[in-house]
Amino acid sequence: MRKVPTEPGQQEGLQGGEAAPGDASFRAPAQPRASVLHREETRVEYAGAFQVHEVPALRLSGFRRSGLNQAYVKQPELQMGGLPTWWSEDGRYFIYFAEEYRHWKVNALRSGGGDGMRAVRPGGLRAGRGFAHSGALGLGPERSTRTAALEALCHAEGWFEVSAGEWEPLQPELSAARAWALELDASSMSSEELLACGEDSSRERRSGGPCRLRGLRFTGATGGRVALFLPAVSGALEEELVFPAQAAGDQTPEDGEAEEDVGPGASGDPDVLLLEPLRESRL
């Protein structure tokens, strides 16, 4: 390795832009400075009325897929097939009414290893798919679809679960459970997102309203884990600074090229935030 002359007052360099041994911070001439993520912070404020009330829940157990074995609560705001969906304690699994098959199906968010809500809706790429399904509805002249659907969901006979790609019959245990809904009707909301990468930073502010937040708690009205369903962030963008590297790398798909369905909310799934209570230290 041969040293090359430098300007007066500077240290001698290495030919070819090679790094000296142990010099992890070396940058070749004209090479951009590497950005390291130092900080990522999001703050959201809601103003409105808050209330807590008990809601009915259904506990499933006996399935081979362990994630299905938990309690579920009805979510009136998230409907499919003309009926409300039911959501699990961890906010990952949901039970929906597959109108075409006239029974209930259990699936999961895409982030939880499932197909997601958009894909299983009527006309979706995976419409009517799931990990398990209930027995079919038994309709009579004096029974509404809603009543018959609730009976089918709570009836242990007629259930099937996917095993090695095949539907296998099983009889799960279904029991009533207790849960509490935490609801906030917000008249307004504001959010601020801050990203700092090395010397680059961006700040994004949004505002909007009204909106509703709904959380589900299964262990008690005042304690335990909460699955919080977040509303979609809307409102005008007040300020946005874009990283130079991002601006230079932005590209749009060419004609006929499908754009990849990625990013928060791209699957049509609700944003669910799982909140764990703080545990006191024993030290």
Side-chain angles (χ1 to χ4, degrees), residues 1-7 10-18:
M1 186 178 298
R2 183 170 61 87
K3 295 182 179 180
V4 296
T6 60
E7 295 294 331
Q10 294 182 342
Q11 296 181 350
E12 293 180 329
L14 300 176
Q15 188 178 28
E18 298 179 18

Side-chain angles (χ1 to χ4, degrees), residues 37-249:
L37 179 61
H38 291 293
R39 185 181 178 190
E40 181 176 352
E41 181 178 312
T42 301
R43 296 182 180 182
V44 183
E45 294 183 0
Y46 296 93
F50 178 77
Q51 61 178 344
V52 180
H53 58 93
E54 189 171 353
V55 292
L58 177 67
R59 183 171 297 279
L60 306 184
S61 60
F63 290 94
R64 302 178 187 91
R65 190 182 185 94
S66 59
L68 305 184
N69 299 319
Q70 49 184 318
Y72 295 77
V73 166
K74 181 170 62 176
Q75 281 281 57
E77 296 86 358
L78 300 173
Q79 297 204 7
M80 194 179 303
L83 294 173
T85 54
W86 293 66
W87 289 79
S88 64
E89 299 176 58
D90 60 7
R92 296 173 56 192
Y93 292 88
F94 61 92
I95 305 174
Y96 71 98
F97 182 62
E99 192 172 10
E100 179 182 358
Y101 300 98
R102 300 181 60 78
H103 61 211
W104 295 90
K105 281 269 180 37
V106 188
N107 212 307
L109 303 179
R110 285 183 58 180
S111 59
D115 297 312
M117 290 192 67
R118 177 183 297 173
V120 300
R121 289 183 182 276
L125 295 177
R126 302 184 67 82
R129 301 292 184 93
F131 302 119
H133 73 75
S134 71
L137 273 64
L139 292 178
E142 299 180 355
R143 303 173 68 199
S144 65
T145 300
R146 186 175 296 270
T147 300
L150 183 59
E151 291 180 358
L153 177 61
C154 300
H155 198 55
E157 295 182 0
W159 279 83
F160 283 77
E161 183 180 7
V162 171
S163 178
E166 300 291 337
W167 286 108
E168 299 288 345
L170 84 159
Q171 187 166 336
E173 295 182 11
L174 310 177
S175 59
R178 300 180 67 187
W180 287 261
L182 293 74
E183 297 179 345
L184 172 64
D185 289 310
S187 57
S188 63
M189 65 82 63
S190 61
S191 66
E192 181 179 20
E193 183 176 358
L194 173 65
L195 296 177
C197 298
E199 297 180 354
D200 301 322
S201 65
S202 74
R203 188 183 302 271
E204 182 178 295
R205 295 188 180 96
R206 296 178 184 269
S207 61
C211 61
R212 165 174 284 193
L213 286 85
R214 192 168 197 254
L216 300 177
R217 174 178 280 153
F218 292 80
T219 56
T222 59
R225 184 172 63 179
V226 174
L228 182 63
F229 290 75
L230 301 177
V233 177
S234 61
L237 183 65
E238 296 182 359
E239 179 182 359
E240 181 176 7
L241 301 177
V242 182
F243 296 157
Q246 291 178 331

Side-chain angles (χ1 to χ4, degrees), residues 242-258:
V242 182
F243 296 157
Q246 291 178 331
D250 287 343
Q251 297 180 354
T252 56
E254 298 180 358
D255 294 339
E257 182 181 353

Side-chain angles (χ1 to χ4, degrees), residues 224-225 276-283:
R225 184 172 63 179
E276 295 281 359
L278 293 176
R279 297 182 179 180
E280 296 182 358
S281 175
R282 296 183 179 180
L283 298 179

